[in-house]
Amino acid sequence: MKISFSLLILLVAGNLSAQNSPTGSNDSARSYPSHIYHINGWSTGGIVVGGAIVDVLALRTLHGKPTITDAEFDGLNRTVFGIDSWALRQNTTNYLGVEKYATITNASAVLLPLTLFFSDRINKDWVNILALYLEVESVSLSIYIASPMGPLFQNKFRPIVYYDNLTRSERNNGYNRNSFYSGHVASAAAATFFMAKVIDDYNPQMGANKAWLYAAAAVPPLILGYIRMLGLNHFPSDIITGFGIGAACGIVIPQLHKISDNDLQFGVFSSPEATGLRASLVLN
């Protein structure tokens, strides 16, 4: 785990160092982007505040699901296919003990984007970047908590429910109905891929090297997913889904904020064949 985080931090440090290096002969001819993201304080603030309210209300439901009954245990379908079967072959000796590592890994991933502000080039836009990051995490959390894909509507049992060597009291908590999908992994992936996206957007000269940046961004959420599986909380399919949703939020939302008002054009057109409205969008 330490090695993997070092990989991401060293890669980021290398990019930040390049951004802060003195201007040389090559840099003098290079035009760096400035004020890339267009933030509307009202809409972004509304998304963050509104999302927080919805999340708080929905969390009560997630934590208040009914206890798993004996009848449900007796009728449990134990046929699990593909990679999900990995989650049912874990050592249960210290499944509770690994949870602290999940907490540390998740917190580290979520806080990692704050290191972006060590870059002079990015730091000058710190208000926009911070607001955008809050929006990314808010949207990621709201998709997890309030969308039909998340545990508010899904009642998939966590792997722990399948382990008969554990007591019923360890397994029957209603919270164990929230296996699909992994919100922890989604949050971590949103953070690290957001960080990679910002570095990429502020450093267009990276070229093909950006592939290594995004590969490094995948490491912390995948480690977190593995730890959560060791803790009997999720199946691999839950982890993969959370990873995909979080990564999409981290990349797509900043990309949408690169669209300025000048990039959107509306008008009316008229011809012998038809009359109507015209809309055009210029993508950077």
Side-chain angles (χ1 to χ4, degrees), residues 92-261:
T92 61
T93 303
N94 190 36
Y95 77 94
L96 289 174
V98 302
E99 193 61 30
K100 62 181 179 182
Y101 298 110
T103 301
I104 294 171
T105 306
N106 192 32
S108 299
V110 170
L111 293 175
L112 198 57
L114 297 181
T115 63
L116 287 169
F117 301 131
F118 288 117
S119 164
D120 292 338
R121 194 182 308 158
I122 296 176
N123 189 49
K124 67 181 184 296
D125 294 332
W126 73 270
V127 174
N128 281 359
I129 300 296
L130 183 58
L132 183 55
Y133 179 48
L134 291 175
E135 180 180 336
V136 166
E137 283 292 348
S138 177
V139 171
S140 175
L141 182 59
S142 295
I143 293 174
Y144 166 72
I145 289 181
S147 79
M149 295 182 63
L152 189 64
F153 296 90
Q154 305 295 327
N155 286 288
K156 182 180 178 181
F157 290 142
R158 296 185 187 274
I160 189 174
V161 176
Y162 294 80
Y163 282 86
D164 290 330
N165 61 310
L166 300 176
T167 65
R168 286 281 175 97
S169 62
E170 289 179 278
R171 299 183 289 153
N172 67 359
N173 192 306
Y175 192 64
N176 287 331
R177 299 179 185 271
N178 298 332
S179 184
F180 190 83
Y181 55 89
S182 176
H184 286 77
V185 171
S187 177
T192 57
F193 277 88
F194 168 81
M195 185 175 185
K197 173 63 173 169
V198 171
I199 294 174
D200 180 13
D201 285 341
Y202 276 83
N203 294 274
Q205 79 283 359
M206 289 180 64
N209 289 329
K210 70 175 64 177
W212 293 104
L213 181 65
Y214 287 100
V219 173
L222 290 179
I223 290 177
L224 176 59
Y226 179 67
I227 296 172
R228 293 285 287 170
M229 186 176 73
L230 293 180
L232 312 183
N233 289 293
H234 293 292
F235 291 93
S237 60
D238 308 327
I239 294 163
I240 293 170
T241 303
F243 179 90
I245 291 174
C249 289
I251 294 173
V252 174
I253 294 175
Q255 182 65 31
L256 292 176
H257 278 276
K258 293 176 69 175
I259 301 172
S260 69
D261 294 339

Side-chain angles (χ1 to χ4, degrees), residues 9-66:
I9 293 171
L10 287 174
L11 183 57
V12 171
N15 281 287
L16 297 183
S17 176
Q19 293 171 21
N20 292 320
S21 62
T23 302
S25 57
N26 292 333
D27 291 338
S28 61
R30 188 178 292 152
S31 177
Y32 291 108
S34 179
H35 306 298
I36 293 175
Y37 305 116
H38 307 278
I39 304 296
N40 182 300
W42 289 106
S43 60
T44 296
I47 290 172
V48 173
V49 174
I53 294 173
V54 170
D55 296 341
V56 169
L57 295 176
L59 276 173
R60 295 181 179 179
T61 302
L62 295 187
H63 289 274
K65 287 187 175 182

